[in-house]
Amino acid sequence: MASIRLSSLSKRFGQVTAVDRLELLIPDKEFVALLGPSGCGKTTTMNMIAGIERPTEGRILFDDRDIQNLPPSRRDVGFVFQNYAIFTHMTVYENLAFGLRVRKLPRTEIDRRVREMASLMRLDNRLDWLSAKLSVNELQKVAIGRSAITEPAIFLLDEPLSNLDAAFRAFMRTELKHLQHQFQQTMVYVTHDQIEAMSLADRIAVMNLGVLQQYGSPAEVYNQPRNTFVANFMGSPSMNLLPCSAVENNGVPALSFGEVGMLSLAQDDALLRRFRTAQAPSLVFGARPEDMEITTSDNDAGLAATVTFVEPIGPRTVVHLDMGGKTIKIAKEKRFPIGIGSRVNVVPPRGKCHLFDAESGAALGLE
Amino acid sequence: MTATTATEGKHRRGKKPGVTPLEAEGLRLGFLMSLPAQLLLLFIVVFPLLMQVYVSLTYWGPLDGESWIYAYSSLNWFDNYGELFADGRFWGSIGRTLLIVVVCVPIEFLLGLGLATLFVDRFPGRRIFYSILLTPMMIVPAVAGYMFFMMFQSTGPLNDLFSRITGLTVDFVWLSDNDLAIVAVMIADIWQWTPLMFLILLAGMMGVPEDQLKAATLLGANAWQRFWRIVLPKMKMVMIIALVLRAVECFKIFDLLFVMTKGGPGIQTESISLYIYKLTFADLEWSYVAALGLFMLIALSLLAWVGLVAMQRAQARAQAPGGAEA
């Protein structure tokens, strides 16, 4: 078992900086997701931990031991590739046995452990199949089983679920969580799917353009995004971000959204506290689609908007609105009886609003 | 496994009852497109073959002064074939040819494999060395033969080199020595044809999926285990192709020998091709050559067939629907 510490880790490919001075501590037995869009450096980070890529700068420590010069085969790291990299010329049995055979374990023990893993992964009746004949779902199970069988201290998974169909993906998510509890390994999980990250991980490291944006529990990352990138990336549909400016309205601090309207901060202490830490008048206001309310009554409490599109998706309805040229989305629980073209008022949720500095994108007033 | 191959073969050959109109159209088009080639083949393969069979059953030769059509006047049925089995020089030449194949092809294979392993990774100067390595293959075999003919002269550079290294006077008469002559020829063949092996095997090795090699590394396999358990099994087909190709080519060895030794000293380096050449142009035993050629054709066809079956088995294993022995 091992913790992983990445210390000012950088990787440059020519002029491109894939990972930029990354600082990350992954505690022992934790499930950490590296989350970010394509090209954010998450896979490169993973490859450096595994030893497939050599860092340009910085250090990687397993349990405070620098592993810079340890070859990948001796790092005791299990790695599940995005495309599984199953040995197609071997049977499922031979695939599962590979890691044990190269360690020259006794035949009987290999056989016992392969059968154990096969039954755990529900691959019993596939053992003597050539792996080239397996379905994608089965390949996935072989890939995980093949790495798990050697009981590595650290388990790295590179977008392992991205090729699966939706139903099996949901099933594997649960399965992976079970596996981690069973093996008690440190797991690092690369994904661009924030739902996967939210549901699986103990901690999420959000990355963009090689830079770590935020590192924290799923709840923290979701509820207290450190900047507009994280705010925008987490959640589906993503957080509504509206440029605004700080003003005073009859002696009361307020946010001005131009022609759309004004938001008085008198009744929202949390927002007011965030507002007070602002350095510049130009800000970005954020609120989650789930939290916002729509009213058709003509009071002054909200911001004016026009319904442009209503998207019923199963249990929810996502209402698209045009607010002074910007599109915002609001998610409502059930069917939402409102027509396209209706003029409505949008009411931000009290106590659940975010405020960011417009220039740096950094969140204001975080503890 | 054999059963699977057999049924697959039957499927391919027999006209399936359920040929779709689309398939039928394809078959028709294929037939028409290949018709000229088939007719040509009929003329350049089937006719000479039949002629050869006919001539091989007679004593006909160029000194008879008769057209081959009247060869039946010296019909002897299977005398030529009987003679063939008693012909020590024939069997000797076969033995020598096989010896060359058995020594050269594996050495070329191993050298080629080693070089391919080296060249599959990037290193500075890789392209230049690659081009240099492939040069011998491009040289006309007769020229290569002449080159080695000079190298192996008793006053040639090779003896000179050995003399300088050992400090003794080395003067092997390579090409006139009963045992050394064939060694010299083998060295020339290996020099010339290792590049081809290297080229084929390198192509095969490049085709081994990188991610599977990475996966093997991360599962704890060292370089040797990766090579043995991933690279080699993945290259099985390519290896069989390379070996069969080279074995067949090497069996026909002629030009190097012709230039370097002419089969000498005596008949110490006489290959089957060289023997047939001498029979044809020196001894003018044309009907005997016809019989000999047919015999060789049948023998080589059998060999090729064995190779093909091995290949099909390998393929069948790779394509078996699920089932395969662990």
Side-chain angles (χ1 to χ4, degrees), chain A residues 255-270:
Chain A
L255 297 174
S256 164
F257 293 87
E259 64 194 68
V260 175
M262 188 94 75
L263 196 62
S264 164
L265 301 180
Q267 275 132 52
D268 194 334
D269 293 341

Side-chain angles (χ1 to χ4, degrees), chain A residues 165-182:
Chain A
D165 54 68
F168 190 71
R169 193 180 312 175
F171 167 76
M172 269 326 278
R173 274 213 294 269
T174 335
E175 211 59 0
L176 272 176
K177 199 73 191 160
H178 276 306
L179 275 178
Q180 201 235 347
H181 278 295
Q182 189 157 353

Side-chain angles (χ1 to χ4, degrees), chain B residues 172-219:
Chain B
F172 289 130
V173 277
W174 289 90
L175 299 176
S176 316
D177 186 283
N178 275 353
D179 301 318
L180 284 179
I182 202 161
V183 173
V185 171
M186 284 171 175
I187 290 173
D189 190 79
I190 290 167
W191 177 84
Q192 182 150 42
W193 294 114
T194 296
L196 181 67
M197 278 284 193
F198 161 64
L199 195 67
I200 299 174
L201 294 174
L202 181 64
M205 211 172 269
M206 294 289 215
V208 176
E210 191 122 0
D211 55 343
Q212 293 187 26
L213 288 172
K214 270 188 206 165
T217 311
L218 289 164
L219 283 168

